[in-house]
Amino acid sequence: MFKKQNKYTNRLQTHYEAHFKTKGTRKKWNVDPNNKLRKEFHVLEISPNKVHNMWAYCTLGMSLDREDNNLIEAVIYSPREDEALVELLSLVSSFHNNSAALNLHHTFEIGHSWLDDSLCNYGFVSLPYLDGEGLEIFKFEDKVFHCYWIIPITKSERELKIKHGCEALENLFEEKGINYVNPNRLSLV
């Protein structure tokens, strides 16, 4: 089993690095107090590169052992290098595996600001519009995994999504020209 898990995380890391055209660094959140994360789980930190002039944090093993249709991995972007995003994706992965499975268009409470004193303390699971299927689709053995984008959103943006649907939220992002990596952005609602 360990060999399969190691093969999965190595191939997924290669998938991310091929997409971003640069090497990443594996990071681990060492606080997991209830040992809910598999020891093979890591977050891959990717510095600004030829594809994006921002940092990318990507899960390695978020859905490693899932047997249902919630086979996702997560990517979040940042204006800077920040260990807080390793913690955030570790918590998201633990939630996904131990509380409620996440999938496309789901929202979840982060529990605190995603960076600094940001008003964005919720996450929205989105298609990776900035990157397309080249990043999104990861095949391993006989399964297809989806690498989705976690977009930090505000409480009022989450309420809009719940009331009017994910398309309304995504249209708002497009209409207002949201700066996805600005932790100081105001709510669009």
Side-chain angles (χ1 to χ4, degrees):
M1 183 64 127
F2 177 74
K3 198 174 205 177
K4 177 183 174 181
Q5 294 162 345
N6 198 34
K7 185 177 175 185
Y8 174 89
T9 56
N10 287 340
R11 288 227 3 243
L12 182 57
Q13 180 171 345
T14 299
H15 170 78
Y16 288 133
E17 291 173 342
H19 176 76
F20 292 109
K21 298 174 178 45
T22 191
K23 293 285 184 194
T25 303
R26 284 189 182 202
K27 300 282 185 164
K28 191 119 177 125
W29 185 46
N30 294 318
V31 179
D32 186 16
N34 298 318
N35 296 315
K36 291 184 175 182
L37 293 170
R38 299 188 69 62
K39 68 178 184 164
E40 299 81 17
F41 175 82
H42 287 84
V43 173
L44 187 67
E45 178 185 75
I46 297 179
S47 62
N49 50 73
K50 294 176 184 175
V51 177
H52 294 302
N53 189 26
M54 57 189 154
W55 291 81
Y57 289 83
C58 316
T59 60
L60 292 171
M62 180 168 160
S63 292
L64 185 62
D65 295 324
R66 293 201 72 92
E67 297 295 331
D68 57 16
N69 292 327
N70 298 302
L71 301 177
I72 72 168
E73 296 290 336
V75 177
I76 192 167
Y77 294 107
S78 173
R80 65 174 188 265
E81 178 180 16
D82 200 313
E83 289 289 322
L85 296 171
V86 175
E87 175 187 346
L88 172 62
L89 287 181
S90 298
L91 290 170
V92 167
S93 296
S94 180
F95 179 79
H96 176 66
N97 283 290
N98 300 297
S99 296
L102 294 170
N103 212 320
L104 185 61
H105 300 137
H106 287 178
T107 56
F108 58 90
E109 187 172 4
I110 295 172
H112 54 76
S113 299
W114 76 286
L115 284 176
D116 304 329
D117 293 325
S118 176
L119 297 176
C120 300
N121 54 2
Y122 286 84
F124 173 61
V125 182
S126 174
L127 288 170
Y129 290 113
L130 301 177
D131 299 282
E133 286 188 356
L135 174 66
E136 179 191 348
I137 305 299
F138 171 67
K139 296 178 181 175
F140 180 74
E141 295 180 348
D142 61 342
K143 295 180 180 178
V144 175
F145 295 80
H146 295 269
C147 301
Y148 289 141
W149 180 16
I150 304 294
I151 301 174
I153 62 173
T154 65
K155 183 177 182 178
S156 56
E157 291 165 348
R158 178 180 181 263
E159 289 169 356
L160 173 89
K161 182 258 179 189
I162 290 169
K163 187 173 182 180
H164 299 287
C166 61
E167 193 171 320
L169 180 61
E170 291 175 334
N171 287 339
L172 181 67
F173 291 163
E174 195 170 320
E175 289 168 15
K176 301 278 185 165
I178 185 175
N179 182 348
Y180 299 102
V181 295
N182 179 3
N184 300 314
R185 76 171 181 86
L186 300 176
S187 178
L188 301 178
V189 177

